Amino acid sequence: QVRLVESGGGLVQAGGSLRLSCAASGFTFSSYSMGWFRQAPGREREFVAAISWSGDNTLYAASVKGRFTISRDNAKNTQYLQMNSLEPEDTAVYYCAHRKDFSGSYHYYDYDSWGQGIQVTVTS
Protein backbone atom coordinates (compact mmCIF):
# COMPACT_ATOMS: atom_id res chain seq x y z
CA GLN A 1 0.00 0.00 0.00
CA VAL A 2 1.42 3.34 -1.08
CA ARG A 3 1.86 5.82 1.75
CA LEU A 4 3.10 9.40 1.43
CA VAL A 5 3.61 11.51 4.55
CA GLU A 6 4.45 15.20 4.34
CA SER A 7 6.23 17.15 7.06
CA GLY A 8 7.95 20.50 7.52
CA GLY A 9 5.07 22.87 6.96
CA GLY A 10 4.13 25.74 9.23
CA LEU A 11 3.94 29.49 9.61
CA VAL A 12 6.63 31.77 8.21
CA GLN A 13 7.01 35.45 7.41
CA ALA A 14 7.29 36.68 3.85
CA GLY A 15 10.85 36.33 2.62
CA GLY A 16 11.48 33.32 4.81
CA SER A 17 12.15 29.69 3.97
CA LEU A 18 10.71 26.27 4.68
CA ARG A 19 11.67 22.77 3.60
CA LEU A 20 8.96 20.21 3.06
CA SER A 21 9.70 16.51 3.19
CA CYS A 22 7.68 13.59 1.89
CA ALA A 23 8.45 10.13 3.25
CA ALA A 24 7.30 7.40 0.90
CA SER A 25 6.60 3.71 1.46
CA GLY A 26 4.78 0.82 -0.19
CA PHE A 27 6.44 1.04 -3.58
CA THR A 28 9.89 1.13 -5.18
CA PHE A 29 10.55 4.82 -4.62
CA SER A 30 13.70 4.97 -6.76
CA SER A 31 11.84 3.78 -9.86
CA TYR A 32 9.20 6.48 -10.14
CA SER A 33 8.77 10.20 -10.46
CA MET A 34 7.38 12.41 -7.71
CA GLY A 35 5.71 15.76 -7.53
CA TRP A 36 4.41 18.57 -5.34
CA PHE A 37 1.07 20.30 -5.74
CA ARG A 38 -0.71 22.91 -3.67
CA GLN A 39 -4.23 24.10 -3.07
CA ALA A 40 -5.24 27.45 -1.60
CA PRO A 41 -8.73 28.06 -0.19
CA GLY A 42 -11.26 28.50 -2.95
CA ARG A 43 -8.78 27.55 -5.66
CA GLU A 44 -8.05 24.44 -7.66
CA ARG A 45 -5.10 22.21 -6.92
CA GLU A 46 -2.10 23.49 -8.86
CA PHE A 47 1.22 22.05 -9.92
CA VAL A 48 4.32 23.22 -8.06
CA ALA A 49 7.23 20.95 -9.05
CA ALA A 50 8.11 17.45 -10.21
CA ILE A 51 11.22 15.30 -10.32
CA SER A 52 12.14 12.26 -12.38
CA TRP A 53 13.03 8.90 -10.89
CA SER A 54 16.76 9.67 -10.96
CA GLY A 55 16.49 13.30 -9.96
CA ASP A 56 18.15 14.39 -13.21
CA ASN A 57 15.07 16.10 -14.61
CA THR A 58 12.87 18.60 -12.83
CA LEU A 59 9.81 20.67 -13.70
CA TYR A 60 8.61 23.86 -12.02
CA ALA A 61 5.58 26.08 -12.15
CA ALA A 62 6.47 29.55 -13.42
CA SER A 63 5.30 31.07 -10.14
CA VAL A 64 7.91 29.21 -8.09
CA LYS A 65 10.81 28.82 -10.50
CA GLY A 66 13.98 30.30 -9.03
CA ARG A 67 12.56 30.24 -5.50
CA PHE A 68 11.68 26.58 -4.92
CA THR A 69 13.90 23.53 -5.42
CA ILE A 70 12.68 19.95 -5.62
CA SER A 71 15.03 17.11 -4.78
CA ARG A 72 14.99 13.49 -3.69
CA ASP A 73 17.07 11.01 -1.74
CA ASN A 74 16.36 7.55 -3.09
CA ALA A 75 18.32 5.93 -0.28
CA LYS A 76 15.90 7.48 2.22
CA ASN A 77 12.73 7.11 0.12
CA THR A 78 12.13 10.81 0.60
CA GLN A 79 11.55 13.81 -1.60
CA TYR A 80 11.96 17.43 -0.59
CA LEU A 81 10.76 20.88 -1.54
CA GLN A 82 13.03 23.71 -0.47
CA MET A 83 11.01 26.91 -0.52
CA ASN A 84 12.88 30.23 -0.35
CA SER A 85 11.74 33.84 -0.65
CA LEU A 86 8.25 32.80 0.36
CA GLU A 87 5.35 35.10 -0.47
CA PRO A 88 1.84 35.31 1.01
CA GLU A 89 0.60 33.95 -2.33
CA ASP A 90 2.41 30.68 -1.52
CA THR A 91 0.00 30.04 1.35
CA ALA A 92 -1.72 26.72 0.66
CA VAL A 93 -1.97 23.09 1.60
CA TYR A 94 0.94 21.32 -0.09
CA TYR A 95 0.57 17.76 -1.34
CA CYS A 96 3.16 15.14 -2.16
CA ALA A 97 2.32 12.96 -5.16
CA HIS A 98 3.63 9.78 -6.74
CA ARG A 99 3.48 8.96 -10.42
CA LYS A 100 3.92 5.49 -11.91
CA ASP A 101 6.30 6.76 -14.57
CA PHE A 102 9.97 7.65 -14.90
CA SER A 103 9.33 11.32 -15.64
CA GLY A 104 7.26 13.97 -13.91
CA SER A 105 4.16 15.71 -15.19
CA TYR A 106 2.45 19.08 -14.79
CA HIS A 107 -0.99 17.49 -14.58
CA TYR A 108 -2.57 16.29 -11.35
CA TYR A 109 -4.46 13.51 -13.16
CA ASP A 110 -1.17 11.87 -14.15
CA TYR A 111 -0.36 11.11 -10.51
CA ASP A 112 -1.45 7.90 -8.84
CA SER A 113 -1.14 8.48 -5.10
CA TRP A 114 -1.31 11.49 -2.80
CA GLY A 115 -0.28 12.44 0.70
CA GLN A 116 -2.70 13.94 3.18
CA GLY A 117 -1.31 17.43 2.68
CA ILE A 118 0.42 19.91 4.95
CA GLN A 119 -0.35 23.55 5.63
CA VAL A 120 2.09 26.30 4.68
CA THR A 121 1.12 29.80 5.77
CA VAL A 122 3.14 32.86 4.76
CA THR A 123 2.37 36.12 6.56
CA SER A 124 3.09 39.57 5.20
Side-chain angles (χ1 to χ4, degrees), residues 2-6 22 34-39 45-47 94-99 106-117:
V2 173
R3 189 163 183 244
L4 303 171
V5 180
E6 300 96 340
C22 172
M34 298 291 293
W36 289 97
F37 286 74
R38 66 186 182 186
Q39 188 167 18
R45 190 169 299 192
E46 66 172 352
F47 172 78
Y94 283 70
Y95 295 91
C96 171
H98 155 242
R99 183 179 188 220
Y106 292 101
H107 308 294
Y108 74 91
Y109 49 74
D110 284 335
Y111 290 80
D112 298 280
S113 303
W114 297 84
Q116 80 285 356

Side-chain angles (χ1 to χ4, degrees), residues 17 20 48 107:
S17 298
L20 302 183
V48 175
H107 308 294

